[in-house]
């Protein structure tokens, strides 16, 4: 038997876990988790993969909690280079709580094809107000240029001021 890249042998991979636990490399823990993808079985050429993942609960540092996460990752995988390049991420989050802020019904799209620069679009309900955030994040420069549309509760602004160490009210009109 000689494997063939052109005959289309495809494998569907599904990972089920009862929990993910905290480690120095990945500082998070979660409850039940599932991830799924399909990959060609024999190819050595770079491929593009769609990976879906779901988790009911994720606990992150600084008392950050995520509930009902659904994610779709699109990545370029190169077996020859042992490399994964994340291209796009779509997220749906039921509830996100962090820094005394609670948001729900979050939908986000991240485009990282020009990494370390990431284009972002996010919609969420923060308190009772809808908020839209779009912009660019430069991971290498540790900088961001964001545009936010929505009403921001004064208490939310105070929390953001405390957490960032800056008076962000001057950036909001």
């Amino acid at each position: 038997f000689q494997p063939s890249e052109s005959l289309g042998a495809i494998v569907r991979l599904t990972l089920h876990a009862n929990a993910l636990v905290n480690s120095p490399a990945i500082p998070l823990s979660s409850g039940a988790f599932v991830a799924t993808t399909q990959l060609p079985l024999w190819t050595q050429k770079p491929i593009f993969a769609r990976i879906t993942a779901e988790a009911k609960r994720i606990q992150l540092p600084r008392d950050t909690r995520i509930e009902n996460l659904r994610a779709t990752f699109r990545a370029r995988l190169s077996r020859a280079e042992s490399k994964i390049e994340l291209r796009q991420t779509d997220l749906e989050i039921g509830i996100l709580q962090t820094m005394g802020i609670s948001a729900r019904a979050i939908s986000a799209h991240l485009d990282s094809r020009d990494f370390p620069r990431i284009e972002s679009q996010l919609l969420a309900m923060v308190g009772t107000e809808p908020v839209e955030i779009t912009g660019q994040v430069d991971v290498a420069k540790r900088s961001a240029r964001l545009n936010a549309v929505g009403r921001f509760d004064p208490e939310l602004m105070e929390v953001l001021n405390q957490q960032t160490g800056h008076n962000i009210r001057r950036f909001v009109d």
Side-chain angles (χ1 to χ4, degrees):
F1 174 73
Q2 183 66 28
S4 168
E5 290 188 23
S6 63
L7 292 180
I10 303 290
V11 63
R12 179 181 170 97
L13 301 171
T14 302
L15 167 70
H16 290 272
N18 291 329
L20 295 175
V21 293
N22 195 6
S23 76
I26 305 173
L28 67 81
S29 61
S30 85
F33 173 85
V34 63
T36 304
T37 192
Q38 292 186 118
L39 303 170
L41 192 56
W42 304 113
T43 188
Q44 291 296 318
K45 297 176 184 174
I47 60 164
F48 290 92
R50 180 179 178 268
I51 304 162
T52 59
E54 292 186 22
K56 292 291 180 197
R57 176 190 46 80
I58 298 174
Q59 188 68 44
L60 296 162
R62 296 184 173 172
D63 293 324
T64 299
R65 184 172 54 95
I66 295 171
E67 292 183 11
N68 300 321
L69 168 72
R70 292 190 333 177
T72 301
F73 306 99
R74 290 169 187 82
R76 181 182 180 271
L77 310 176
S78 175
R79 185 178 300 170
E81 300 172 31
S82 298
K83 190 174 181 181
I84 299 173
E85 295 174 13
L86 188 58
R87 298 296 180 104
Q88 292 182 337
T89 304
D90 291 311
L91 300 172
E92 294 177 25
I93 298 172
I95 298 172
L96 169 66
Q97 292 182 323
T98 188
M99 302 185 299
I101 302 167
S102 183
R104 60 186 171 79
I106 301 165
S107 176
H109 176 78
L110 307 172
D111 186 331
S112 54
R113 288 178 286 190
D114 293 329
F115 191 81
R117 199 181 97 183
I118 301 170
E119 296 282 332
S120 62
Q121 299 171 317
L122 179 135
L123 295 171
M125 292 295 290
V126 179
T128 59
E129 300 293 338
V131 174
E132 175 186 15
I133 300 172
T134 59
Q136 303 85 34
V137 175
D138 192 317
V139 177
K141 293 179 181 176
R142 297 183 61 166
S143 68
R145 183 173 196 84
L146 302 173
N147 181 42
V149 177
R151 288 180 30 144
F152 294 89
D153 185 293
E155 289 180 24
L156 169 63
M157 297 298 288
E158 189 58 37
V159 169
L160 293 174
N161 288 341
Q162 289 173 359
Q163 294 298 321
T164 62
H166 298 283
N167 180 5
I168 64 166
R169 291 177 196 264
R170 64 189 172 127
F171 299 112
V172 179
D173 59 20

